[in-house]
Amino acid sequence: MSTEYLQPKSWGELKEDLQRLTEKSVILAGGTDLMPKIRSGKKEPNLYLSLCRMEELKAIERQGEWLKIGAMAAHTQASEDPFIRKYFTALAMACSQIGSQQIRNKGTLGGSLANASPAGDIMPCIFLYGGKIEILGENGIRSVDAESFLLENGCTLLGRNELITSILLPLEEERKSCFVKLGSRREVTIAQISLCISWKEEDNEKKDMKGFIGAVDIRPVEFEKAYLLGENSEESREEAAAWLADKIRGIRSNRTKESKLKITEAEKLYKERAVKGIVFDAADWIERESTFHTGKKGEGKL
Ligand SMILES: Cc1cc2nc3c(=O)[nH]c(=O)nc-3n(C[C@H](O)[C@H](O)[C@H](O)COP(=O)(O)OP(=O)(O)OC[C@H]3O[C@@H](n4cnc5c(N)ncnc54)[C@H](O)[C@@H]3O)c2cc1C
């Protein structure tokens, strides 16, 4: 079987090529998820639609009240972007901790969202900011809320002849955020649990705190008691951790159908207990955040 390789360089070419995709075709971005599947024989594409020459899809730019991040922006690029570091710190932190340096240089934000892995670090951040996903299809570009974009484990509402062109994040000047993750190692680790929090700083108080926890269910789970982390006391941290542990316990006991997540009982129990560690880490970040986004590249985790 011969394999075709398409590399559009313009919107016109991209739209045309997109209509050629069949059930056996693949869209190729950085290839960090896709290529291992192809090499192992899990996928045998007859046609590759590579986005690597679509320069416009790599841009990160402000558009009025939104930040537009091209689907082909790589994790390194996003983690070093001054705008993302300042206004979407949690996302910059998440991108700076993905895989290894090589994975961060090749892997893209669009690929991460299309991949829709429950252990992915990007989706919880996009949920946190109330982001939108722009999708190119036969009838042009449509925009959907990230929460409706993600259907379930590995499944999004992307149709066969559609692709992600960009991610839109609403700009709120005074909103701050942070991301913490617990993995089995410091580098090249898949999240066991991740937590992202955002808040507004008003009159020396933290207001409107929001949070999402990743890698505990097929979708990022809302941390409804995130406000507890703004109270800056040992008791409120303990209460937040207990609430999240309960939430995780609830997820596993409420699950009716067989989970595709393949998390063992021991891992689930571990997550329930380990959540305390990331809650305390997040609370520490929140306390010292004011010095964080102005930090130089390479400082701390950013
Ligand atoms: C060793 C290793 C460590 C990793 N560590 C982490 C980690 O710590 N955290 C984390 O979140 N992820 C991690 N990943 C997962 C991976 O790096 C990310 O999901 C990555 O960003 C995928 O992007 P990509 O550009 O490489 O996608 P590709 O591999 O090119 O594509 C992935 C999937 O998305 C589709 N796709 C790609 N771009 C688009 C688009 N614009 N529109 C529609 N469909 C598209 C492809 O067809 C494919 O199905 C790791 C992967 C590896 C191999």
Side-chain angles (χ1 to χ4, degrees), residues 27-34 51 71 75 97-99 103 106-108 110-112 114-115 119-122 158 163-164 181 188-190:
I27 292 168
L28 177 63
T32 61
D33 278 316
L34 191 59
L51 303 179
H75 299 302
Q97 294 177 51
I98 281 183
I103 298 287
K106 292 294 286 180
T108 63
S112 195
N115 202 37
D121 295 323
I122 303 304
L158 280 175
L163 58 78
I164 302 172
K181 129 171 165 178
V188 200
T189 193
I190 301 296

